[in-house]
Amino acid sequence: DGSAMGSSLILKADFNGSIAIGAKHSLKIGATAGTSFAANEVPLSYRFFVGGQSHMKYFSNIISFEGLRFTQLYGNNIAIGKISWQYNFYRNIYATANFNGGYVADEHNTWFSSDNFTLGCGLTLGMETKAGPIEVSLMGSNRCSNLIGFFNIGYWF
């Protein structure tokens, strides 16, 4: 009949850490890797969606990536590394420089090809408030010809 999706196996691993460097500096590092195996085609809802600064907790297959629009890239396989340096320059006001790079691909044999490599960076200015952070960001990548802006108010749930 051809309409059966078959079974799928999706594996994902995350690592995130933060290191305080003195009273005003911190370094954040992270990595995410994921792969999908399916008898037929992996359903769209089970693929990894990469892009934007959202840190939503609702869907584990939406991966933030500096320099891309929200869920701009998607694929069955991802390998992404991130590093950020944050400087708190006055009380609750801070600046963060973000860098990330990685691969997004559908096929296992093209996972680490140069065509699937994305590099992004951005700068965020923010302020901690009782209602959560207020942040303004500018970012870019090798996948976007223009700078992308992002504005955030409050905590991600």
Side-chain angles (χ1 to χ4, degrees), residues 14-93:
D14 284 311
F15 167 79
N16 291 297
S18 184
I19 303 165
I21 305 171
K24 294 186 175 245
H25 301 269
S26 64
L27 187 65
K28 299 176 185 179
I29 55 173
T32 301
T35 187
S36 304
F37 301 94
N40 295 319
E41 185 174 332
V42 175
L44 185 62
S45 59
Y46 292 119
R47 292 184 182 190
F48 297 101
F49 294 87
V50 178
Q53 281 191 336
S54 69
H55 300 285
M56 67 172 55
K57 310 275 189 243
Y58 306 117
F59 304 103
S60 62
N61 62 335
I62 295 179
I63 314 300
S64 65
F65 196 100
E66 199 80 20
L68 296 176
R69 290 177 181 81
F70 181 67
T71 68
Q72 180 176 340
L73 299 178
Y74 64 91
N76 298 332
N77 308 289
I78 60 168
I80 296 170
K82 301 177 181 185
I83 188 166
S84 298
W85 170 69
Q86 185 169 309
Y87 176 65
N88 186 10
F89 56 88
Y90 181 75
R91 295 187 186 190
N92 58 347
I93 299 173

Side-chain angles (χ1 to χ4, degrees), residues 55-58 127-135 152-157:
H55 300 285
M56 67 172 55
K57 310 275 189 243
Y58 306 117
M127 180 173 68
E128 286 292 333
T129 70
K130 290 182 182 186
I134 298 173
E135 299 174 321
N152 176 59
I153 298 177
Y155 296 108
W156 291 92
F157 294 98

Side-chain angles (χ1 to χ4, degrees), residues 133-151:
I134 298 173
E135 299 174 321
V136 175
S137 301
L138 275 178
M139 54 190 160
S141 74
N142 63 328
R143 302 282 179 171
C144 293
S145 57
N146 298 321
L147 288 176
I148 299 169
F150 185 79
F151 184 67

